[in-house]
Amino acid sequence: MDKKKQKVLEEKGFQVGSAAEFLELTPEEEAYIDIRLDISNMVKKQRAKRGWTQEQLARAIGSSQSRIAKLEGGDPGISMDLMIKALLRLGTSKKQIGKLLEGELEAV
Amino acid sequence: MDKKKQKVLEEKGFQVGSAAEFLELTPEEEAYIDIRLDISNMVKKQRAKRGWTQEQLARAIGSSQSRIAKLEGGDPGISMDLMIKALLRLGTSKKQIGKLLEGELEAV
DNA sequence: TATATATATGTCAAATTCGGCATATTTATG
DNA sequence: CATAAATATGCCGAATTTGACATATATATA
């Protein structure tokens, strides 16, 4: 894992190793973060595509604007459950989410 | 949604409507539960395939046996984050998870 | 049958995530 | 530029999820 990517992750609040030995995510940890970022980016893209505000999306799933902002910003303090609920509410199907994770869905 | 499926979900602890008007999940709610159950079933299948005990998987992701049991049982009090971490630790790739959601992965 | 191993179920305090709210910052629009 | 709309950031108490532990139940193995 290159340092640029690590820095970006740490800025977002991910605990990428201790302060002393700030190195190496396991492949599982990398994949986990990768999946989360894919989904959060998809939410941002789909919401924009539909012309919704963060406020609108938030109300539609019983959440709040600040949570949606954090979700789209890749904040680690947001659960995948909330991210998936947002995606589904935006009209994304389970199948499309699958394609997203497969890497076959650069733009839905 | 048929009553049999609803009963199963309610037995697992899902809040499928109030006691009075116990009816109708929105398509999003259905898809959300569907995704969760797909993933939890996949964890069970993959763990069995590798011959791991729940205890082994739990230790491997810093969790506990009881949590894995609940995860595999479809307990709603388990986060998707924990489920995904378990799947990844079992060697399932992001791409395979995608295929699972696409419905192209009855058995990995 | 016993005995051991694996899984299920329930409870607890601690940690995390929650929605809501205030407000700072950015972006659009006049 | 000003003014408004959208988004980002930080904090709060409430709710949820956490690992842990105990223990009940089920399953395998002798």
Side-chain angles (χ1 to χ4, degrees):
Chain A
M1 176 172 192
D2 63 272
K3 300 209 170 183
K4 190 187 292 179
K5 189 174 183 183
Q6 182 186 333
K7 191 182 176 191
V8 170
L9 290 175
E10 287 180 339
E11 282 168 353
K12 287 183 180 300
F14 282 102
Q15 195 64 22
V16 181
S18 74
E21 33 84 38
F22 45 86
L23 279 170
E24 310 293 321
L25 273 71
T26 65
E28 292 87 2
E29 289 168 336
E30 275 208 62
Y32 170 66
I33 293 177
D34 201 37
I35 289 172
R36 288 181 51 101
L37 294 182
D38 269 9
I39 298 176
S40 73
N41 287 333
M42 184 70 160
V43 169
K44 189 166 194 169
K45 195 176 294 182
Q46 289 295 305
R47 182 180 61 82
K49 185 179 177 184
R50 281 163 179 73
W52 286 17
T53 65
Q54 293 182 341
E55 175 69 24
Q56 286 176 306
L57 173 56
R59 300 290 180 185
I61 62 172
S63 184
S64 60
Q65 181 269 326
S66 65
R67 293 245 111 209
I68 302 299
K70 285 159 190 166
L71 188 165
E72 294 183 357
D75 187 314
I78 300 291
S79 71
M80 280 193 54
D81 292 82
L82 188 65
M83 295 197 273
I84 293 297
K85 283 178 186 173
L87 255 195
L88 292 172
R89 192 60 184 78
L90 285 165
T92 310
S93 69
K94 171 180 161 186
K95 202 163 190 171
Q96 285 174 317
I97 296 174
K99 283 188 178 171
L100 170 67
L101 298 184
E102 273 202 77
E104 294 177 0
L105 205 63
E106 288 314 309
V108 175
Chain B
M1 176 171 196
D2 64 272
K3 300 209 169 182
K4 191 187 292 180
K5 189 174 182 182
Q6 181 186 333
K7 192 181 178 192
V8 171
L9 291 174
E10 287 180 338
E11 281 168 355
K12 287 183 180 299
F14 282 101
Q15 196 64 22
V16 180
S18 74
E21 33 84 41
F22 44 87
L23 278 169
E24 309 296 319
L25 273 73
T26 66
E28 293 88 3
E29 290 168 335
E30 274 208 62
Y32 170 66
I33 293 177
D34 202 38
I35 289 172
R36 287 181 52 100
L37 294 183
D38 269 9
I39 297 175
S40 73
N41 287 334
M42 186 68 161
V43 169
K44 190 165 194 170
K45 197 176 294 182
Q46 289 295 304
R47 182 180 61 82
K49 185 179 177 184
R50 281 163 180 73
W52 287 15
T53 64
Q54 291 181 343
E55 176 69 24
Q56 286 176 307
L57 174 55
R59 302 289 181 186
I61 62 172
S63 185
S64 60
Q65 180 269 328
S66 64
R67 294 246 111 210
I68 303 298
K70 284 160 189 165
L71 188 165
E72 294 183 355
D75 187 313
I78 301 290
S79 71
M80 278 194 55
D81 292 81
L82 188 65
M83 296 197 271
I84 293 296
K85 284 177 184 172
L87 254 195
L88 292 172
R89 191 60 185 77
L90 286 166
T92 311
S93 69
K94 171 179 160 187
K95 201 162 189 170
Q96 284 174 316
I97 296 174
K99 283 187 178 172
L100 169 67
L101 298 185
E102 274 202 77
E104 295 178 0
L105 205 61
E106 287 313 309
V108 174

